[in-house]
Amino acid sequence: MALVKPPTAQMERHAYQISHLISAFTVPMMGRLYRQFDGDMVQIIVLGEISLRNVDQFFRKGGADVPEKLLDDAERRGKLMQSCNVLSIAEATGIPRETVRRKVAQLIDKGWLARDERKRLIVKAGSGEKFVKANAKTALEIIELAAKLHELLRQVDTDQD
């Protein structure tokens, strides 16, 4: 499905419908995460940013072409994943450093994060398995959302002709 950037006027024409479609996806997803993390949305953001940074190097350097299970291999993990620190997470998220530090300590206590040999942050092996089913559901919801938005904006193009 090729995406074409619709003119701003066309986006504005259906702004409420677009907002509704996006909200119908994001609000339930945020609710699921809220419940999973006992209402601590900042923990979700911190864990998510650390996870993104950890696997970014893997996927940028061809990780999509090798088995992802390598990320769970304790011996290879440190070489495949890019660790990070509290300061970089605070800067990336805009969350104060002390708040990030507290959330990291909580996530370590809960078994989601660990520190590597350089004391940098890395998501614990196997943590991603807790999200496999939820991520599959979310991926399908994103595909459905994209199809609805594509159809809406395609109709706008047709209406303008």
Side-chain angles (χ1 to χ4, degrees):
M1 171 183 340
L3 293 178
V4 177
K5 183 179 177 185
T8 303
Q10 292 175 342
M11 295 291 282
E12 289 175 1
R13 180 174 174 207
H14 289 288
Y16 289 124
Q17 192 169 354
I18 291 167
S19 178
H20 171 72
L21 289 169
I22 291 170
S23 293
F25 164 74
T26 57
V27 172
M29 182 187 67
M30 288 189 300
R32 288 190 301 268
L33 289 169
Y34 181 87
R35 288 183 294 280
Q36 186 172 4
F37 283 81
D38 300 320
D40 194 337
M41 298 299 277
V42 177
Q43 273 189 13
I44 296 165
I45 295 167
V46 170
L47 179 61
E49 186 66 33
I50 293 167
S51 298
L52 284 171
R53 287 173 179 255
N54 284 178
V55 298
D56 184 59
Q57 174 178 291
F58 178 75
F59 288 113
R60 271 190 296 113
K61 293 185 176 180
D65 299 326
V66 297
E68 293 177 14
K69 282 292 184 188
L70 290 176
L71 292 172
D72 290 330
D73 183 327
E75 291 179 24
R76 293 183 176 172
R77 189 171 175 75
K79 294 176 186 137
L80 297 173
M81 294 179 74
Q82 179 179 330
S83 58
C84 55
N85 61 33
V86 168
L87 178 60
S88 66
I89 299 306
E91 289 174 349
T93 61
I95 298 169
R97 187 183 336 176
E98 283 307 311
T99 301
V100 172
R101 191 180 318 280
R102 280 193 316 275
K103 298 305 174 182
V104 162
Q106 293 167 358
L107 289 162
I108 289 171
D109 288 346
K110 289 181 175 184
W112 289 93
L113 295 178
R115 293 198 182 268
D116 66 12
E117 64 281 346
R118 298 179 312 175
K119 304 290 185 210
R120 293 173 57 88
L121 303 168
I122 194 157
V123 175
K124 270 190 131 176
S127 293
E129 292 174 15
K130 298 169 185 165
F131 292 101
V132 170
K133 286 182 183 175
N135 285 344
K137 181 180 191 282
T138 300
L140 291 174
E141 291 171 350
I142 289 170
I143 291 168
E144 290 172 12
L145 172 61
K148 288 175 184 176
L149 290 169
H150 181 72
E151 181 61 25
L152 175 66
L153 296 174
R154 191 182 65 72
Q155 287 174 359
V156 170
D157 286 340
T158 304
D159 292 346
Q160 296 295 322
D161 294 339

